[in-house]
Amino acid sequence: MELVKVTIDGIQVEVPKNYTVIEAAALAGIRIPQLCYHPELTKEGACRVCLVEVEKARGPVAACVYPVADGMIVHTNTPLIRQTRKTIVELMLANHPQDCLTCQKNQNCELQAIAADLGIREVPFNDGEKRHSELDESNPSLVRDPNKCILCGRCIRACHERQGLDVYGYINRGFKTIVGPAFGLGLGDVPCTLCGQCAAVCPTGAIMEKDDTERVFAALADPEKYVIVQTAPSVRVALGEALGLPAGSVVTGKMVAALRRLGFDKVFDTDFSADLTIMEEGHEFLHRVLNGGVLPMITSCSPGWINYIEQKYPDLLDHLSTAKSPQGMFGALAKTYWPETQGISVEKIYSVSIMPCTAKKSECVRPQLQSNPGIPDVDVVLTTRELARMIKNAGIEFDRLPEEEFDSPLGESTGAAVIFGATGGVMEAALRTVYAVLNDGKDIPGVVYMPVRGMEGIKEASIEVPINGQNVTVKLAVAHTLKNAKILMDKIRAGEADYHFIEVMACPGGCIGGGGQPQPVNAEIRRLRTEAIYSVDEAKTLRQSHKNPDIIALYDKWLGKPLGEKAHHLLHTHYEKQVKKI
């Protein structure tokens, strides 16, 4: 790529010709304040906080959209620029709630941080008219507070560019402009998948996960409740970030210790039910291939994806695996197998999930996830961020905790289970078992299957497996983000897809980039989390779901066999068309 020389605050750097000033400044070690800018989204230049002076330009320019040129000289810290930025932020604050101390985003708010960096100690325009909008709490997962919106447009672009949904848009004009769904409807009334990617990029507290921490604290304090918890695979490689540790830290043991100190009666692992998911989903795939079932079969672990297909492609619901997600399977066992074997009343069990995903909150209230009529299998879902807040609330010094182990038997897992947290992981885990089942117990060479790994939006691969005495080429596809899922679904609808098995995850990178994970998140952080996931897999003695001894015992002593009557009743579900107002 052609390079150009740019001088920024006296520092000369060579940068690609297609860079903007803000990207060039980053290479020079200079951070220009930014609010509407996000490195993974289209550049918009809406907030003007990133103004700089460029010699020979007509006044200050927005660094996030202004292209570099050879010989350009940029000044980022002149008196004019400092005062202009300060005034812009003061005007934002004049129409912003002054509740930083009680805001859920306190100490993680980009507007708050920029105001502090600019030395703003009072708001001179605080006597003018302010916006007054109602909270949007129309769904189980996300809360929108339009009063905290700064019109940066990140949520609009993330929803369009990552998910292809266009749930958000600018409404009205001038001072009355707000961001929200069309016609003033709530997120629960429009085709929103509740994936939380809008919350993941929101710089303020305008879009946040619905906070259920007090519900869990109340349950933990109730002597009549037996409170158990499950933790998703990707939480263990992200939780540390919210508690001051470097991105990609594996904190499994400390997380378990923290949950025990919070007061949970049993600390279990969703990885256990991820292994169980592979047993059911893998055998379901084999059944479809051998008996002429609907193909391609598509994984059903991501609730954002499930919401999407129910809303946009209800005619293709038969392609979904009927296997519940790992959260759903664990919830079913938590309200059937566990109380039965422990002699505890199911009414006494309070089941909590720690998930990287805001859409999991909506999944747990699905009526299909009730093994006992009127009793939800999962009572409440907390995001990774919510767990971090609970740990801080309880005064637990996370980095000083010992390493502790999950409780048995719902805490034993294999390496195949933990890689569920990364895009391609469910596919690879399934292949590790399916290949062995079809090949007289022989493993895929090296156990891993690299072609389904990586951050490409859509990955295609094939593998030779023996079926009915013949080697058959099984064609696979893996997609992450709903915009990429749409490409595959349109091919299926048009009859142009010749795949056998498809994995879809709603969020970038899979669960490691989920809408409930610590912020900020970018490509580098997702890379570190993914590497951590695979390092946990590599460190495991057992790396295939069908070799988990507690899974084997569960089938032998209680479930029967994969796809058997009891397994089908508890571990499988159905999906239905979702009808929204628009």
Side-chain angles (χ1 to χ4, degrees), residues 78-339:
T78 66
L80 172 64
I81 290 301
R82 287 199 302 274
Q83 184 56 51
T84 303
R85 289 175 182 163
K86 188 174 182 179
T87 301
I88 290 169
V89 175
E90 286 171 344
L91 287 166
M92 287 183 184
L93 295 174
N95 194 31
H96 197 84
Q98 306 293 303
D99 63 348
C100 292
L101 290 177
T102 56
C103 179
Q104 189 171 310
K105 204 71 178 280
N106 186 28
Q107 297 186 327
N108 196 29
C109 170
E110 294 179 43
L111 178 62
Q112 182 186 55
I114 286 177
D117 290 345
L118 294 177
I120 297 175
R121 299 295 176 258
E122 59 180 342
V123 182
F125 313 110
N126 218 15
D127 296 330
E129 181 181 354
K130 290 184 182 289
R131 194 168 44 215
H132 294 287
S133 300
E134 295 295 320
L135 288 179
D136 175 8
E137 299 181 279
S138 60
N139 68 88
S141 298
L142 298 169
V143 177
R144 289 178 52 250
D145 186 350
N147 301 302
K148 294 180 179 178
C149 176
I150 59 172
L151 305 179
C152 68
R154 284 190 191 175
C155 60
I156 297 174
R157 285 173 281 150
C159 192
H160 171 72
E161 295 169 19
R162 289 181 177 175
Q163 308 296 49
L165 286 173
D166 299 309
V167 168
Y168 296 104
Y170 290 109
I171 303 171
N172 303 324
R173 306 189 72 160
F175 178 77
K176 296 185 178 184
T177 302
I178 61 171
V179 171
F183 309 115
L185 294 172
L187 290 180
D189 302 318
V190 299
C192 171
T193 65
L194 305 177
C195 69
Q197 287 305 303
C198 53
V201 299
C202 180
T204 66
I207 311 175
M208 296 293 295
E209 73 274 11
K210 190 165 284 188
D211 193 323
D212 290 308
T213 56
E214 286 304 319
R215 290 176 60 194
V216 177
F217 272 127
L220 291 169
D222 187 343
E224 297 301 313
K225 285 188 168 62
Y226 191 92
V227 189
I228 65 176
V229 63
Q230 58 167 308
T231 62
S234 64
V235 174
R236 70 206 65 204
V237 298
L239 176 63
E241 295 168 34
L243 297 167
L245 298 178
S249 298
V250 179
V251 297
T252 313
K254 292 182 184 299
M255 175 182 68
V256 172
L259 290 165
R260 288 207 177 97
R261 279 150 184 76
L262 284 171
F264 287 96
D265 292 295
K266 290 292 181 180
V267 181
F268 294 128
D269 196 357
T270 316
D271 283 17
F272 173 85
S273 48
D275 278 332
L276 189 60
T277 300
I278 289 304
M279 295 298 291
E280 293 297 320
E281 193 171 81
H283 282 85
E284 180 187 2
F285 174 66
L286 288 175
H287 180 78
R288 292 195 187 199
V289 171
L290 297 174
N291 295 280
V294 176
L295 294 174
M297 190 181 87
I298 310 175
T299 60
S300 53
C301 296
S302 168
W305 152 242
I306 295 301
N307 288 334
Y308 181 75
I309 189 173
E310 287 184 330
Q311 293 168 9
K312 302 293 187 180
Y313 296 90
D315 54 310
L316 301 181
L317 287 174
D318 286 346
H319 288 271
L320 284 176
S321 166
T322 62
K324 292 179 180 178
S325 70
Q327 171 179 262
M329 288 195 183
F330 185 96
L333 295 179
K335 295 295 180 78
T336 56
Y337 169 73
W338 179 250

Side-chain angles (χ1 to χ4, degrees), residues 466-504:
I467 298 178
N468 292 331
Q470 295 183 334
N471 282 336
V472 176
T473 300
V474 174
K475 297 183 178 180
L476 317 167
V478 173
H480 60 119
T481 76
L482 298 175
K483 194 168 187 177
N484 287 315
K486 181 181 187 302
I487 295 171
L488 294 180
M489 297 309 290
D490 286 344
K491 289 177 69 174
I492 295 173
R493 183 178 273 173
E496 299 171 355
D498 61 350
Y499 309 113
H500 295 86
F501 198 5
I502 296 175
E503 177 201 306
V504 176

